[in-house]
Amino acid sequence: MISRRAQACRRSGGQRGFTLIEVMIGMLLLASIVVMLAQGYMAALSRAGETGDHTMAAAWAQAMVDYLRNQGYGVSGSWSETPAACAAPKPCLPPEFSRADIVVSNTGIPSLKQIDITLYRMGSGSPFMALSTYAADLRFP
């Protein structure tokens, strides 16, 4: 006994395959999957770049805090750092940032300073990262 499918193939001249609509739907599905994957890839690349900037900013801020500690605890006031105004041995602001505002202020506790650092990205007026820490002048008798 011959199946219905075989009978249908015989009636249509024995040709099998996909119709044009099936091919078009398959291509549409494939294209939409490729677009979604490309968007995910671009978002991941963007996040990786931003993570690198956060890492550079945190490393520079830590270097600046260490530099200020080495300068002694008489340092206080506020100033701005720019990539162009870099002089050794002070840590140089990475070129991805336009400026950093630094505020070193006294606290109510003797030998304790508060250090606030605000970093601004190149081409942006809003702060990229704001860091605050305390530095103590530990002296042992």
Side-chain angles (χ1 to χ4, degrees):
M1 172 158 245
I2 301 174
S3 68
R4 288 185 187 174
R5 187 173 180 118
Q7 288 175 353
C9 285
R10 282 189 185 155
R11 276 187 258 136
S12 66
Q15 295 182 1
R16 291 188 185 188
F18 297 104
T19 63
L20 182 59
I21 292 176
E22 291 171 333
V23 171
M24 296 288 281
I25 290 172
M27 289 178 65
L28 181 67
L29 286 173
L30 183 63
S32 63
I33 290 171
V34 167
V35 167
M36 286 189 291
L37 288 175
Q39 286 176 340
Y41 182 71
M42 295 305 290
L45 283 178
S46 173
R47 281 305 231 184
E50 192 171 316
T51 301
D53 287 349
H54 278 279
T55 303
M56 271 194 293
W60 179 84
Q62 182 62 51
M64 181 55 80
V65 168
D66 291 341
Y67 172 77
L68 293 172
R69 283 185 180 143
N70 288 333
Q71 294 303 306
Y73 289 86
V75 175
S76 62
S78 63
W79 66 93
S80 291
E81 296 284 333
T82 60
C86 179
K90 197 184 322 182
C92 295
L93 188 65
E96 289 82 5
F97 299 98
S98 59
R99 81 174 201 271
D101 296 334
I102 302 167
V103 179
V104 180
S105 56
N106 292 320
T107 62
I109 302 169
S111 301
L112 184 68
K113 303 273 186 173
Q114 180 176 354
I115 302 172
D116 298 309
I117 299 174
T118 306
L119 288 155
Y120 295 87
R121 228 181 196 173
M122 197 62 78
S124 175
S126 60
F128 175 71
M129 181 182 280
L131 305 148
S132 184
T133 189
Y134 292 92
D137 186 7
L138 301 175
R139 296 186 186 189
F140 297 104

